Amino acid sequence: MRKPVVAANWKMNGSLELCEHFARTLVRPENADVWIFPTALHLGSLTDLFRESDIGTGAQNVWCELDGAFTGEVSANMVATLGAELALVGHSERRAMFGDSDEVVARKFKKISDAGLVPVLCVGETLEERESDLAFEAVQRQLSAVEEAWDHPVYSHQAIAYEPVWAIGTGKAATAEIAQEMQALIRDHIDRRSTGESQAVRILYGGSVKATNASELIAQKDIDGFLVGGASLDVDEFNQICEAVNS
Ligand code: PGA
């Protein structure tokens, strides 16, 4: 049985006040994990605030080297040193705006794993790819790029977030059927590549998740939780999403 997760991706939003507000008012769901990804600037403070709890914290991005002349970047080891446990990798905003190619994503993924963090690999097709019936090909390409860079594929220490690009920040979430269909395809893909790990790996859905659509989405067999962007900045709404996942 996979424990569901509700993850907050604050993107380039938030403040120390928001971190403190979350620490005071987040209602920890009994049957689900909660992960929060603030900016790198707020990660240390947020991790300290949640240190005595089992809320997980992580970075939205790391660079694919451990140190050196990479102005403006942070490394997976630095994130681990803060006491954070997770890192997103391959978010579509990074792929589209910051040049995170499949190859760069694979290198970052490896560094995140090597640092002992749990990578949350984001994959998802563009609208064009979906309309050309290439949605699964795109997702499979993104998964394979990471798998090929591993010495031994290990799925049990990672999570995957399926985030169709056309659903991110648009207010138009994938229907439960579309999300379930792709998440099942991702699980089948893992099943073909691993020895019995596909039932253990948590596959989250992301893209315009809100309090109003969380219950229908989480009822799907292969949706093991959410990566929530915009709606995660409002702790009341985030609590409602956690409640939907918990029940
Ligand atoms: P959204 O973002 O919930 O605002 O659509 C999700 C994400 O980008 O992770």
Side-chain angles (χ1 to χ4, degrees):
M1 185 64 190
R2 297 179 295 271
K3 191 173 186 188
V5 189
V6 191
N9 174 12
W10 287 358
K11 310 192 178 188
M12 201 179 72
N13 298 294
S15 59
L16 195 51
E17 287 71 36
L18 187 70
C19 297
E20 285 163 354
H21 184 56
F22 257 72
R24 277 195 309 274
T25 49
L26 182 66
V27 182
R28 166 83 174 85
E30 230 169 82
N31 305 317
D33 288 330
V34 175
W35 299 340
I36 308 176
F37 298 90
T39 70
L41 199 62
H42 298 120
L43 183 57
S45 305
L46 190 78
T47 302
D48 284 345
L49 284 162
F50 282 110
R51 202 170 291 280
E52 301 305 321
S53 78
D54 53 2
I55 306 289
T57 59
Q60 296 172 13
N61 176 47
V62 296
W63 183 237
C64 39
E65 298 294 339
L66 291 183
D67 50 42
F70 303 104
T71 302
E73 295 292 332
V74 298
S75 77
N77 281 8
M78 292 170 184
V79 170
T81 304
L82 291 179
E85 298 153 352
L86 303 130
L88 298 180
V89 60
H91 191 280
S92 69
E93 286 155 13
R94 297 226 43 102
R95 291 180 191 264
M97 290 188 266
F98 302 102
D100 284 13
S101 62
D102 285 339
E103 191 239 324
V104 167
V105 171
R107 287 173 61 203
K108 288 184 174 185
F109 187 102
K110 188 156 187 338
K111 281 289 183 285
I112 292 166
S113 300
D114 290 350
L117 301 170
V118 175
V120 181
L121 174 64
C122 303
V123 295
E125 80 285 0
T126 61
L127 185 59
E128 208 184 349
E129 287 164 334
R130 175 152 291 271
E131 286 177 347
S132 326
D133 272 336
L134 293 171
F136 184 56
E137 274 75 2
V139 167
Q140 203 166 21
R141 189 201 72 233
Q142 292 166 347
L143 292 169
S144 300
V146 169
E147 291 158 354
E148 276 153 25
W150 295 351
D151 306 330
H152 306 287
V154 180
Y155 295 91
S156 42
H157 298 296
Q158 66 161 298
I160 291 173
Y162 167 56
E163 299 203 299
V165 178
W166 45 271
I168 295 178
T170 58
K172 290 187 194 131
T175 61
E177 292 70 32
I178 287 181
Q180 164 58 29
E181 182 187 34
M182 182 63 83
Q183 314 233 159
L185 286 169
I186 294 172
R187 206 176 298 285
D188 284 350
H189 168 95
I190 295 172
D191 203 38
R192 288 193 299 277
R193 298 286 182 109
S194 71
T195 38
E197 287 185 272
S198 65
Q199 293 308 311
V201 63
R202 292 189 279 191
I203 308 177
L204 317 186
Y205 166 79
S208 297
V209 174
K210 296 181 267 238
T212 47
N213 58 19
S215 298
E216 196 192 349
L217 286 161
I218 198 66
Q220 305 305 307
K221 184 169 147 284
D222 289 292
I223 298 183
D224 304 320
F226 301 123
L227 182 56
V228 187
S232 74
L233 293 166
D234 177 341
V235 74
D236 294 334
E237 174 137 23
F238 191 71
N239 278 338
Q240 286 174 48
I241 296 170
C242 289
E243 210 179 294
V245 170
N246 202 38
S247 53

